Amino acid sequence: MVLRGKNVIVAISGSIAAYKSAILVRQLIKSGARVRVVMSESSKDFVSPLTLSTLSKYPVYSDFNSNKETGEWINHVELGLWADAMVVAPATANTLSKMRSGESDNFLIAAYLSARCPVFFAPAMDLDMYNHQSTRENIDWLVANGNIFIAPGNGELASGLVGEGRMAEPEEIVSSLERFFQRNLPLSGKKVLITAGPTREKIDPVRFISNRSTGKMGFALAEEALRKGAQVTVVCGPNSIVNSDSIERINVVSAQEMFDQVWAKYSWADVVIMTAAVADYRPASISDQKIKKTGGPLEIKFVRTVDILGELGKSKQKQLLIGFAVESENELENAKSKLKRKNLDLIVLNSLNDSGAAFEGDTNKVSIIDKNNKIEHKQLKSKVEVAADIIDKIVTLL
Ligand code: CTP
């Protein structure tokens, strides 16, 4: 997930472990990254550039000239700037030494020196080379200067010796990159609880009262919070949305069930976003039997449900509380009064007078109001874009 859309340079130097780099390229692409491969001349003895260009769907770079006749030049500076991450794997003792000294007599080191992005390196060499003082000092220096070390494994080496020096497996290298980007996301370590969709209040075994909410806004927020690194739980009423596996989803039906689940998770959460359209009333009693029609009108008595957000506001501690308000008149005044009454940090207002806003559609037009009554009026946008605006606002508040 976190590597989706990231530009990654895989730089391969000359070690037998170079064959694993083909698997690394494949796995990075499967994780959603765009990959460009840089090879040292000697690495081509271990793995073919054709394999890597086929896997990465891009020419492999190893020379400053792509065409010696015409003098066509490969721009290592542009490549370095393009990258969000560079992985030197395998990194031989020779390449580690050149990375430290800056001896850029090959394209790989020139690209390394031009990269402004985080650089990961996965050493691969024989036991004694790995344990040599010069290698150790180069590794320490590279780490002290911001490069990210992916430790080699212990085991049988190509020489037959047993010990440290075997390049980390491609899965471990991908995980290192994922952990790095995960840690550096704006909502890393934050726990976000979101409610979504309608609630249904039973009338009899076949009937219920509900509303037009689809859950789209809530799940758009959940996916955006996830993309920004949060741990996300959604408590949702009946809806047909398919969400990412990484989101914990708790399905409920009634307002009371929603309250019970949200309450149980409240102390876990750093942020609570209540997008659910919770029923304000439920039938005073649920008929055990299907209600039969009669000649006259049907009267059902309704009683209030619990105000979930109101209860959360009363016992708020560390949490940021975000409410939604759907209004058809005196929109701003009503939203501001809910913000205060429910002890919220933000309220997101939808006006039923704006076309393309609120229920069912894929778009929304919102105003975001904070505790100091500062109002941001947003344009009509897709719910995904609206979710990004709201999550950005939450990030600034955190
Ligand atoms: N909400 C809630 N529990 C309820 C009703 C609403 O948690 N029983 C939450 C909604 O999820 C929303 C916010 O409160 O985030 C505002 O809901 P709304 O129904 O518009 O506000 P009310 O306070 O119920 O006011 P009114 O019905 O008078 O508009």
Side-chain angles (χ1 to χ4, degrees):
M1 246 326 249
V2 284
L3 295 183
R4 186 174 296 163
K6 292 267 184 282
N7 295 335
V8 181
I9 300 173
V10 173
I12 307 173
S13 60
S15 150
I16 175 65
Y19 79 91
K20 290 192 199 169
S21 304
I23 304 164
L24 173 63
V25 169
R26 210 178 120 63
Q27 293 195 348
L28 285 168
I29 288 172
K30 263 180 93 178
S31 309
R34 282 183 285 260
V35 178
R36 301 278 183 271
V37 176
V38 174
M39 296 179 81
S40 73
E41 272 313 313
S42 57
S43 71
K44 294 179 187 171
D45 293 335
F46 298 98
V47 61
S48 129
L50 183 61
T51 306
L52 293 155
S53 64
T54 309
L55 287 172
S56 66
K57 300 185 181 65
Y58 223 78
V60 163
Y61 308 109
S62 55
D63 202 339
F64 294 97
N65 293 304
S66 67
N67 185 335
K68 291 216 165 66
E69 312 267 280
T70 61
E72 215 173 297
W73 187 63
I74 309 270
N75 191 336
H76 56 87
V77 178
E78 247 173 43
L79 184 68
L81 294 178
W82 167 86
D84 298 307
M86 180 170 185
V87 193
V88 186
T92 58
N94 182 38
T95 290
L96 291 179
S97 166
K98 286 182 176 175
M99 284 166 74
R100 179 181 180 178
S101 66
E103 199 184 324
S104 53
D105 62 353
N106 67 44
F107 188 85
L108 189 155
I109 299 294
Y112 165 70
L113 295 179
S114 307
R116 292 190 189 161
C117 59
V119 178
F120 299 74
F121 65 101
M125 64 200 76
D126 214 74
L127 177 66
D128 297 304
M129 291 175 84
Y130 183 64
N131 284 330
H132 197 279
Q133 183 70 11
S134 64
T135 306
R136 289 310 170 111
E137 280 177 11
N138 288 337
I139 291 176
D140 290 348
W141 187 90
L142 287 168
V143 170
N145 285 279
N147 301 275
I148 301 146
F149 172 55
I150 304 173
N154 217 306
E156 191 175 340
L157 302 164
S159 62
L161 293 175
V162 175
E164 267 183 317
R166 211 163 66 174
M167 186 176 91
E169 294 304 318
E171 299 76 31
E172 289 170 53
I173 299 176
V174 173
S175 300
S176 293
L177 266 77
E178 284 174 341
R179 276 198 302 276
F180 175 87
F181 283 110
Q182 189 73 35
R183 258 201 317 275
N184 287 282
L185 290 171
L187 289 180
S188 294
K190 296 291 176 201
K191 300 180 177 94
V192 178
L193 176 60
I194 298 174
T195 64
T199 61
R200 278 183 191 170
E201 309 302 328
K202 269 173 108 173
I203 297 172
D204 70 12
V206 292
R207 301 181 179 96
F208 55 78
I209 182 161
S210 189
N211 59 64
R212 290 166 51 200
S213 172
T214 57
K216 280 183 189 165
M217 194 64 243
F219 276 100
L221 282 159
E223 299 289 351
E224 182 62 19
L226 186 72
R227 265 193 292 279
K228 293 253 155 67
Q231 234 179 297
V232 183
T233 296
V234 177
V235 178
C236 56
N239 68 82
S240 57
I241 289 178
V242 179
N243 56 278
S244 304
D245 291 345
S246 314
I247 293 173
E248 184 195 21
R249 174 177 178 142
I250 302 173
N251 294 310
V252 297
V253 177
S254 66
Q256 187 60 44
E257 281 171 27
M258 184 171 277
F259 173 74
D260 293 342
Q261 294 296 338
V262 168
W263 194 248
K265 275 266 170 185
Y266 192 33
S267 59
W268 166 87
D270 299 302
V271 179
V272 183
I273 313 176
M274 283 285 310
T275 69
V278 186
D280 284 326
Y281 290 91
R282 63 175 170 79
S285 63
I286 303 169
S287 170
D288 287 341
Q289 303 300 327
K290 184 180 165 203
I291 300 170
K292 303 296 277 182
K293 58 183 160 303
T294 59
L298 171 68
E299 280 182 17
I300 299 176
K301 189 177 168 206
F302 285 93
V303 292
R304 286 292 309 268
T305 55
V306 55
D307 180 346
I308 304 173
L309 196 50
E311 292 305 312
L312 300 183
K314 279 186 216 157
S315 29
K316 182 159 88 169
Q317 289 178 348
K318 55 168 183 174
Q319 296 89 351
L320 269 189
L321 273 190
I322 293 97
F324 270 66
V326 179
E327 305 292 342
S328 58
E329 56 182 351
N330 299 326
E331 293 96 328
L332 277 177
E333 291 325 303
N334 284 337
K336 283 183 193 168
S337 112
K338 276 176 199 174
L339 174 97
K340 212 160 169 234
R341 199 168 68 242
K342 301 194 186 196
N343 191 19
L344 308 181
D345 298 281
L346 284 182
I347 193 151
V348 181
L349 166 66
N350 299 134
S351 168
L352 288 172
N353 297 318
D354 287 326
S355 63
F359 295 127
E360 288 169 346
D362 289 323
T363 56
N364 207 353
K365 183 166 184 284
V366 301
S367 300
I368 304 175
I369 309 167
D370 72 15
K371 271 203 298 207
N372 306 317
N373 282 335
K374 194 170 155 265
I375 306 171
E376 288 175 31
H377 296 288
K378 302 287 184 188
Q379 299 299 313
L380 181 72
K381 296 180 180 186
S382 72
K383 285 188 173 167
V384 172
E385 290 170 304
V386 172
D389 285 344
I390 296 169
I391 296 291
D392 283 349
K393 182 79 190 170
I394 291 171
V395 168
T396 60
L397 290 184
L398 283 167

